Amino acid sequence: MFLFTRMLLLKKQLVPTLIWLLMPLILTVVVVQWGNAAARDAQIPIAIVDEDHSELSRAFIQELQQMDLLTIQLMGKQKALYALEKNQLDSVFIIKRNFEKELRNNKRNQLIEAYSTNRSYFYFAVKENISSLAQRKATQAKAAHEVKNLLNKYDSDIEWSFDEIVAQGQQREERYELLTVDFSYYNENESSSPTEKTNLLTSWGIWAFFTLISTFYLFDWVIKESNHPVVVRWLQSKISYITYFFSTLAVYLLIMLVIDILTYRIIETQFIWSEVLVMLVFRLTCVALALFVAVHLKQVLSYYFITPILALLLALLGGVFIPMERFFAKWPIMSELSPVYALLQWDVSLVWSVFIVLICMYVYRKESNRFA
Amino acid sequence: MLEVKNISKKYRSHEILQNVSMHIARGEVVGLVGQNGAGKSTFLQIVATVMSANSGDLMLDGLSYNCNLKAIRRQIGYVPQEVALWEQLTVRENMLFFAKLSWTKLSEEQCRAICVNMQLHEWDKQVSKLSGGMKRKLNIALSLIDDPQLLLLDEPTVGIDLKSKTEIAHFLTQQAKEHQKMILYTSHDMKEITTYCDRVYIMGEDSFYYDYLQEKGITIGKM
Amino acid sequence: MKNFVFFTHQYLKQMKKKWWKLLLLFVFPLVIIALSFMALSSIFVQSEQQKLSIAIVNEDTSSESQLLTQLIVTILKENTYIQAELLSMEEAEEQIEQNDSTAAIVFPSHFAADLYEGTSVKLHVLGNPQEKTQSMVVNELVETIARYIASAQANILTVYHYAKDTSISPEELESLKLELLMDFTFYTMGKRKILREYEWVLQPFENPLHYYSIAILFCLTIIWSILLFVFLSKQTSKSLQMRLKLAGVAFWQEHAARIFTTFMTVLILSSVLFAIALSQLDIQYYALDYLRMFLFVSLLILLTIVVCAIFDVIFHSDKVKLLMTFLLCVVLIAGSGAVFPTIYFPYSMQQLFPNFYTFDIWKWLTDLIFEERNYASYTKSGLMLALALTLYSGLVYVKGRWAR
Ligand SMILES: Nc1ncnc2c1ncn2[C@@H]1O[C@H](COP(=O)(O)OP(=O)(O)OP(=O)(O)O)[C@@H](O)[C@H]1O
Ligand SMILES: [Mg+2]
């Protein structure tokens, strides 16, 4: 009976409603995919100036080019520095003239010149990468040097060559994993690498943001129907408007929960009940928020205007766009301001759970007082 | 039997109704007239429990409005002054919608019969595409679904053509007489009032209405 | 024209009536920006101030590993934000439990011996569950160290391999081992000297505070234009629309009044704020410079609003319209490069940016403001404005025809 009437109303908007319902899932998948692709394509533009033109320097540049994050342009010094000045490059690295000669002689002082600007956001990372590569080269050269000394010292007649020793060192490094690191948290048994989870967190953050918006926009019926003249007709019907209102709410919730569980299955590989529960609480919080805003507004247009802003604020406070851990370490109370934060920690926020209950009671009172 | 005793209504500080009393017996058709803004709609809304009076008592069939709200609402059919319909649905869907929600189970044919009685012959047309008069007919039809004992009509005949108006009025008064129902309705059409009403109440001190009605020999109720 | 004046008046009245909402509208973006700024600064500031405290646990009793761990402690201590300490396992666990340490690095027994043999060795990092992010930082750090040690070790093994074939005595070989280990580790880790670093100061960013306050102002101008334009939109019922039509009011007249009202309001506000911000810089501008900047700011606002107006015409559903407009805001700001340099975006995206009017205007504005350039070209933005206006009037015309 109830479902029949609800379907009558929804029939015309079935497709848009479905789209809005599925929007968080679809957009999360799209944005994460696209974001990953963009992150893969994202690059730090640097220029390398090869002044040495030796075999070693060329090999060095080749290895650099294999690094994922860097897009390396080879150019002349003047051009490179000009581009840097125009802020078209992150940084410029110049391989000095005697790069090979010095390396072979086991000298490693200032083999490379590095130019950066006060706007080189990634210079630190790039520098770290390049210097560690150069360091490896230097270490290999040093090995060759040590061998030479040894052989000289003990008057050995073993044949050796610089390149051979360097190659051997490189091979050893690549072939054996001489030293690996494993990570675990103290008092937590599973020795899992926590990096996987941190990656997923962002996709849940995006999901949370879109879920907020879609829940808000799906609940515009609260405003549209509560302010419709037709509401007086519920006085004479068997079901009171408030019952009808909450039944509709329940149906929406049910559908949303099904979609949430589906979302969880798609995004997450394992199925952990506690996490699903957290998700459901988050969805309830979204609904409660939507109700809270909706019962205070008369115009859908202002509702459409305010809610995305609210969603943005909550997502920001929840740490979707910028990690907020440090911020919350200073002001722990702030972490309770957004339900998104609790979701991202896979926690149930007590404050927001209480909020849900309070809002339900509040809305019930408000709606049932309508025809007092 | 509807009894209204000394009700008053204020919108904030603005007093609309002051100590209004009236009664309607079973089988009676009662009219309510008055100038624009006299408070007719407000009064009907109070009787229809859409809002509550600031003071005073209302009783329907011996049941007080204070405690038996649900039972009372079941007895009432209220036709609001502005049309209260789902614009995006068809006539049929509108009827079925409220038929499903009502106390009595009506079949689709019965719903259609109500519409036909209201001279509304459109059935599968979307409400937003109906003419103004058709909407008003549907507006009345929807309130008749539950076969109410007390029918409150707020300017039901505005915009309805003469033939339909006569038919509808005829049907409703006949219903009232046959099934001992009560009808209270407002109108600015004096001819209609004088033709169908057993008694008329005048809202506000208005000698113009008073003289006119007395001339026609209509019983004027004391408010 | 009369209608236009009338509606402008109406919009002004509407703004006056809802002044506190309007105030909220203007303050809200500031709040978001301030919040982001606080969050961002808390990340950077704290990572500098708060020292990472790392416990180093050596379960290997050999002298080599003693020396090696000692060496690592010394090297780590060079880092200003790291505090390393040699501890026993029990002490380390206790520290983690009391939240005194971020993480512990455990060197397993037989560490040195295995390393010599060339067999794979595992370093263990014990993170503090109360400080997850920082634990991850330590993990990264240890992975870097491990890479260095592994690299050193690979080369040591090579040397060792050659040494065995010489006439070296076993005792000497033993001492050589240790010597090589220390030598190479030290060599690898002390890598500072390879690079000779120069840091340039680029003009616009010389003073980050100045740069970012102008950038924020620029973004605020965009956000305000969009928000105010959307804010002034209102639902007109069908009957009212009909009445307006009868009164000879075209749809575009009301729209134009809305564009004009938004434009003037934001222009006044932005100009005042820009003037204040510019007066804080210690650069003397000529009147002509001010005029140029003013022109660019007006172009920016007008273009933004016209694009919004186009969206207003195109999209039928209110929900979609609003979401798209907000999305537009993000795209416009990201594309301008005011907040984050566009050079780090993927190449395919980068090529799009010069087509953004925000990019163009921001480029000219920074040139005018920070590099005191006394030349500016409005061709591109002007063309864009003409294009947008043409598109807009075309759409309005089509819509008008269609509605009839
Ligand atoms: N929601 C409201 N808030 C404040 N005042 C109201 C409200 N609704 C009606 N009024 C005022 O109450 C008075 C009575 O209104 P009401 O609608 O009852 O008049 P009416 O007799 O039905 O008039 P009409 O013949 O035009 O239908 C009017 O003065 C009106 O301005
Ligand atoms: Mg009325």
Side-chain angles (χ1 to χ4, degrees):
Chain A
M1 167 177 75
F2 157 77
L3 277 179
F4 171 81
T5 54
R6 188 34 75 179
M7 273 318 285
L8 272 182
L9 285 184
L10 266 181
K11 205 174 59 187
K12 288 268 157 52
Q13 304 155 345
L14 206 57
V15 177
T17 309
L18 269 180
I19 291 176
W20 283 109
L21 273 170
L22 290 173
M23 182 201 87
L25 173 59
I26 297 168
L27 278 187
T28 307
V29 172
V30 170
V31 168
V32 168
Q33 294 262 331
W34 179 79
N36 282 343
R40 238 179 287 124
D41 290 353
Q43 21 125 324
I44 309 170
I46 62 167
I48 303 261
V49 180
D50 187 1
E51 286 187 339
D52 196 31
H53 296 292
S54 62
E55 228 168 283
L56 265 184
S57 71
R58 267 194 288 275
F60 180 72
I61 292 168
Q62 228 164 34
E63 268 189 68
L64 273 183
Q65 275 166 338
Q66 253 133 51
M67 288 184 184
D68 293 334
L69 276 175
L70 306 179
T71 10
I72 295 170
Q73 287 164 285
L74 285 171
M75 49 172 96
K77 183 173 177 176
Q78 272 200 328
K79 203 176 148 206
L81 291 183
Y82 179 75
L84 183 70
E85 202 183 331
K86 285 274 144 247
N87 195 25
Q88 288 159 352
L89 291 171
D90 184 79
S91 37
V92 172
F93 293 86
I94 299 174
I95 300 174
K96 300 294 288 180
R97 178 142 293 132
N98 291 326
F99 184 72
E100 175 159 6
K101 206 170 119 200
E102 301 242 313
L103 263 187
R104 282 180 190 275
N105 292 329
N106 195 23
K107 286 186 190 148
R108 56 162 183 172
N109 272 2
Q110 304 180 348
L111 293 174
I112 298 172
E113 276 181 2
Y115 288 86
S116 64
T117 69
N118 50 351
R119 249 222 148 174
S120 304
Y121 287 171
F122 292 97
Y123 171 67
F124 190 75
V126 176
K127 180 184 87 179
E128 213 46 46
N129 268 319
I130 290 186
S131 62
S132 88
L133 184 65
Q135 186 62 44
R136 270 170 55 202
K137 295 282 166 211
T139 314
Q140 284 159 8
K142 180 179 165 66
H145 203 74
E146 292 289 331
V147 171
K148 191 178 108 192
N149 283 347
L150 268 174
L151 297 182
N152 279 345
K153 191 170 167 193
Y154 294 100
D155 292 327
S156 176
D157 52 354
I158 304 170
E159 293 222 352
W160 73 281
S161 78
F162 180 86
D163 296 325
E164 196 188 313
I165 294 170
V166 167
Q168 272 195 28
Q170 180 120 14
Q171 265 180 15
R172 277 209 171 79
E173 220 181 310
E174 281 162 12
R175 191 148 15 110
Y176 313 112
E177 292 211 303
L178 283 174
L179 196 56
T180 52
V181 178
D182 77 332
F183 182 92
S184 69
Y185 284 116
Y186 173 67
N187 265 351
E188 277 175 28
N189 292 329
E190 13 132 22
S191 148
S192 67
S193 150
T195 29
E196 289 172 319
K197 205 76 183 176
T198 14
N199 265 340
L200 270 179
L201 280 187
T202 52
S203 83
W204 281 115
I206 291 161
W207 177 82
F209 177 56
F210 288 127
T211 302
L212 273 168
I213 291 185
S214 103
T215 314
F216 280 139
Y217 273 16
L218 275 171
F219 274 73
D220 59 345
W221 61 264
V222 174
I223 296 184
K224 278 186 185 159
E225 284 175 16
S226 303
N227 295 310
H228 202 284
V230 107
V231 179
V232 295
R233 298 210 178 272
W234 262 276
L235 285 178
Q236 271 86 48
S237 63
K238 196 158 112 191
I239 302 176
S240 66
Y241 180 69
I242 185 107
T243 319
Y244 191 76
F245 179 91
F246 275 99
S247 312
T248 312
L249 202 67
V251 170
Y252 265 98
L253 260 179
L254 210 67
I255 298 172
M256 283 171 172
L257 297 190
V258 169
I259 288 175
D260 285 354
I261 290 174
L262 186 78
T263 310
Y264 187 82
R265 307 258 10 192
I266 290 175
I267 295 182
E268 204 85 42
T269 40
Q270 302 154 296
F271 195 84
I272 304 169
W273 273 107
S274 64
E275 290 190 357
V276 177
L277 186 76
V278 170
M279 223 173 127
L280 302 190
V281 171
F282 175 72
R283 180 64 96 158
L284 279 173
T285 317
C286 294
V287 172
L289 270 168
L291 281 183
F292 182 72
V293 179
V295 294
H296 282 110
L297 290 177
K298 285 234 150 43
Q299 281 202 329
V300 247
L301 218 55
S302 41
Y303 180 73
Y304 292 153
F305 183 71
I306 290 169
T307 44
I309 295 177
L310 190 64
L312 179 67
L313 196 66
L314 288 177
L316 183 71
L317 271 174
V320 172
F321 309 115
I322 305 166
M324 300 290 267
E325 274 90 356
R326 298 283 170 75
F327 185 63
F328 292 150
K330 250 193 235 165
W331 294 289
I333 310 156
M334 298 282 276
S335 69
E336 294 292 348
L337 276 182
S338 169
V340 182
Y341 187 70
L343 173 80
L344 294 188
Q345 306 293 317
W346 294 113
D347 245 345
V348 173
S349 157
L350 193 66
V351 176
W352 286 95
S353 311
V354 173
F355 175 79
I356 298 171
V357 177
L358 283 181
I359 288 302
C360 283
M361 274 162 33
Y362 175 75
V363 172
Y364 185 83
R365 290 266 322 250
K366 203 172 160 85
E367 289 293 318
S368 52
N369 278 346
R370 183 188 287 277
F371 301 118
Chain B
M1 179 81 175
L2 172 77
E3 282 173 283
V4 180
K5 280 188 197 133
N6 296 327
I7 60 166
S8 319
K9 177 71 188 175
K10 277 186 210 161
Y11 281 122
R12 298 220 173 79
S13 60
H14 185 54
E15 199 151 55
I16 313 291
L17 302 175
Q18 285 168 321
N19 287 331
V20 177
S21 308
M22 76 177 307
H23 67 95
I24 305 174
R26 288 226 164 230
E28 231 181 352
V29 178
V30 174
L32 190 58
V33 295
Q35 293 172 332
N36 290 140
K40 303 183 292 296
S41 299
T42 311
F43 181 75
L44 282 192
Q45 280 177 29
I46 291 171
V47 176
T49 73
V50 176
M51 42 186 185
S52 52
N54 294 103
S55 65
D57 293 319
L58 293 106
M59 301 259 269
L60 181 65
D61 291 336
L63 296 174
S64 168
Y65 270 50
N66 290 332
C67 34
N68 308 30
L69 213 53
K70 200 161 181 175
I72 283 168
R73 281 177 174 166
R74 197 178 161 172
Q75 311 275 329
I76 295 176
Y78 168 60
V79 183
Q81 188 169 4
E82 79 274 37
V83 287
L85 308 166
W86 293 119
E87 295 275 329
Q88 72 270 35
L89 301 186
T90 62
V91 175
R92 173 178 164 269
E93 285 165 344
N94 261 295
M95 289 301 286
L96 287 184
F97 187 98
F98 290 103
K100 282 280 173 195
L101 294 177
S102 75
W103 297 89
T104 45
K105 289 280 153 283
L106 293 189
S107 67
E108 197 171 327
E109 284 77 50
Q110 286 168 309
C111 289
R112 184 143 196 190
I114 295 177
C115 284
V116 171
N117 281 333
M118 289 301 110
Q119 308 298 311
L120 178 63
H121 302 286
E122 316 288 333
W123 185 240
D124 275 318
K125 207 166 184 182
Q126 201 176 324
V127 170
S128 55
K129 290 177 183 138
L130 289 180
S131 76
M134 289 173 185
K135 282 186 197 169
R136 296 217 146 259
K137 288 175 183 173
L138 182 58
N139 199 28
I140 303 172
L142 281 179
S143 304
L144 296 178
I145 282 175
D146 232 355
D147 195 24
Q149 297 302 306
L150 170 61
L151 192 56
L152 305 163
L153 302 122
D154 202 343
E155 300 187 23
T157 54
V158 172
I160 296 181
D161 64 87
L162 191 62
K163 181 168 168 285
S164 304
K165 202 187 320 193
T166 328
E167 298 274 348
I168 293 171
H170 194 74
F171 174 78
L172 288 178
T173 41
Q174 197 184 350
Q175 285 277 310
K177 297 286 175 279
E178 270 174 25
H179 300 283
Q180 293 292 300
K181 291 179 183 168
M182 299 165 272
I183 296 180
L184 172 62
Y185 87 106
T186 71
S187 179
H188 293 295
D189 185 345
M190 278 304 135
K191 194 145 170 223
E192 200 180 284
I193 294 272
T194 49
T195 322
Y196 298 106
C197 291
D198 301 322
R199 275 186 306 130
V200 177
Y201 284 97
I202 302 170
M203 286 229 123
E205 306 297 317
D206 202 311
S207 53
F208 186 78
Y209 278 114
Y210 194 84
D211 297 342
Y212 180 86
L213 289 171
Q214 221 162 28
E215 195 177 306
K216 296 274 173 188
I218 304 284
T219 328
I220 296 169
K222 274 238 155 37
M223 289 217 93
Chain C
M1 195 61 210
K2 212 179 72 196
N3 289 329
F4 176 77
V5 174
F6 169 75
F7 279 116
T8 310
H9 195 71
Q10 285 292 309
Y11 278 121
L12 285 178
K13 256 185 12 203
Q14 189 183 343
M15 275 166 49
K16 210 184 271 171
K17 214 159 70 188
K18 298 183 184 168
W19 65 270
W20 63 271
K21 282 187 191 167
L22 210 63
L23 195 71
L24 230 74
L25 189 88
F26 283 111
V27 169
F28 159 77
L30 276 174
V31 171
I32 289 232
I33 289 172
L35 210 68
S36 321
F37 188 75
M38 261 151 73
L40 278 176
S41 65
S42 72
I43 289 176
F44 291 120
V45 170
Q46 277 221 326
S47 64
E48 277 164 20
Q49 281 180 350
Q50 206 178 44
K51 280 193 169 184
L52 288 176
S53 146
I54 304 173
I56 291 178
V57 179
N58 187 7
E59 296 196 321
D60 189 0
T61 43
S62 66
S63 56
E64 290 92 341
S65 71
Q66 301 276 324
L67 274 169
L68 190 70
T69 45
Q70 201 67 56
L71 185 65
I72 288 173
V73 170
T74 322
I75 291 167
L76 284 181
K77 273 184 180 162
E78 279 175 19
N79 254 321
T80 42
Y81 60 93
I82 290 175
Q83 193 180 1
E85 214 177 343
L86 261 176
L87 293 173
S88 74
M89 193 65 197
E90 289 78 39
E91 285 170 323
E93 281 182 354
E94 196 178 321
Q95 286 227 333
I96 287 180
E97 224 163 303
Q98 288 169 358
N99 208 4
D100 288 336
S101 272
T102 312
I105 308 172
V106 184
F107 290 82
S109 48
H110 300 295
F111 174 75
D114 285 348
L115 210 56
Y116 282 142
E117 296 297 313
T119 44
S120 177
V121 189
K122 247 190 188 157
L123 273 183
H124 192 85
V125 177
L126 204 57
N128 184 345
Q130 298 159 61
E131 289 181 33
K132 291 204 166 162
T133 6
Q134 266 129 321
S135 296
M136 287 320 296
V137 174
V138 175
N139 189 32
E140 297 269 309
L141 186 77
V142 175
E143 269 175 7
T144 321
I145 295 177
R147 262 204 311 279
Y148 284 133
I149 298 179
S151 161
Q153 191 57 24
N155 289 299
I156 292 169
L157 287 175
T158 312
V159 177
Y160 197 60
H161 173 80
Y162 278 91
K164 269 197 288 198
D165 292 348
T166 58
S167 53
I168 192 166
S169 66
E171 295 86 57
E172 271 180 306
L173 194 63
E174 267 310 305
S175 69
L176 179 71
K177 248 189 198 173
L178 187 59
E179 196 181 304
L180 282 176
L181 179 69
M182 301 315 298
D183 194 15
F184 269 84
T185 311
F186 205 74
Y187 184 83
T188 327
M189 299 228 181
K191 62 185 154 54
R192 296 276 170 262
K193 282 172 266 166
I194 288 193
L195 289 184
R196 177 172 189 171
E197 298 179 45
Y198 301 90
E199 193 183 332
W200 286 358
V201 176
L202 288 188
Q203 252 312 310
F205 325 108
E206 190 183 357
N207 187 335
L209 182 69
H210 289 172
Y211 177 79
Y212 279 107
S213 34
I214 297 284
I216 286 173
L217 213 51
F218 179 82
C219 297
L220 275 179
T221 307
I222 298 176
I223 298 173
W224 281 340
S225 315
I226 292 179
L227 280 186
L228 187 63
F229 184 78
V230 175
F231 177 77
L232 286 181
S233 70
K234 56 184 176 201
Q235 267 167 329
T236 20
S237 64
K238 273 220 180 78
S239 51
L240 195 62
Q241 273 172 14
M242 193 97 78
R243 187 156 303 167
L244 290 174
K245 209 168 178 179
L246 281 179
V249 180
F251 163 74
W252 67 268
Q253 284 174 317
E254 197 180 346
H255 226 195
R258 191 162 126 207
I259 293 175
F260 180 72
T261 317
T262 315
F263 175 68
M264 285 320 284
T265 316
V266 179
L267 184 63
I268 291 168
L269 194 66
S270 289
S271 306
V272 170
L273 287 179
F274 263 107
I276 293 172
L278 289 178
S279 67
Q280 296 300 309
L281 307 182
D282 24 76
I283 303 175
Q284 282 298 310
Y285 296 106
Y286 298 105
L288 194 61
D289 290 328
Y290 282 117
L291 185 68
R292 284 186 182 124
M293 291 174 211
F294 179 76
L295 271 174
F296 273 118
V297 172
S298 344
L299 269 174
L300 173 73
I301 300 171
L302 196 57
L303 262 164
T304 310
I305 300 172
V306 171
V307 174
C308 275
I310 291 175
F311 274 41
D312 206 30
V313 179
I314 296 176
F315 293 109
H316 189 67
S317 152
D318 287 329
K319 294 187 207 179
V320 177
K321 190 192 297 176
L322 272 166
L323 274 194
M324 283 298 160
T325 315
F326 284 128
L327 186 70
L328 172 82
C329 185
V330 174
V331 171
L332 285 181
I333 289 176
S336 72
V339 183
F340 193 73
T342 49
I343 53 166
Y344 300 113
F345 285 108
Y347 189 67
S348 51
M349 269 202 223
Q350 263 184 56
Q351 288 184 309
L352 287 176
F353 290 136
N355 300 327
F356 279 58
Y357 66 87
T358 43
F359 183 84
D360 189 59
I361 292 177
W362 176 243
K363 201 187 91 207
W364 284 112
L365 269 181
T366 41
D367 279 5
L368 284 171
I369 293 173
F370 296 107
E371 298 186 3
E372 296 166 72
R373 185 182 280 246
N374 47 15
Y375 161 77
S377 154
Y378 309 95
T379 330
K380 203 164 181 179
S381 314
L383 268 177
M384 294 236 192
L385 182 62
L387 192 75
L389 280 175
T390 320
L391 183 63
Y392 171 69
S393 28
L395 280 171
V396 167
Y397 179 73
V398 168
K399 195 176 174 167
R401 288 298 291 266
W402 204 54
R404 209 180 298 164

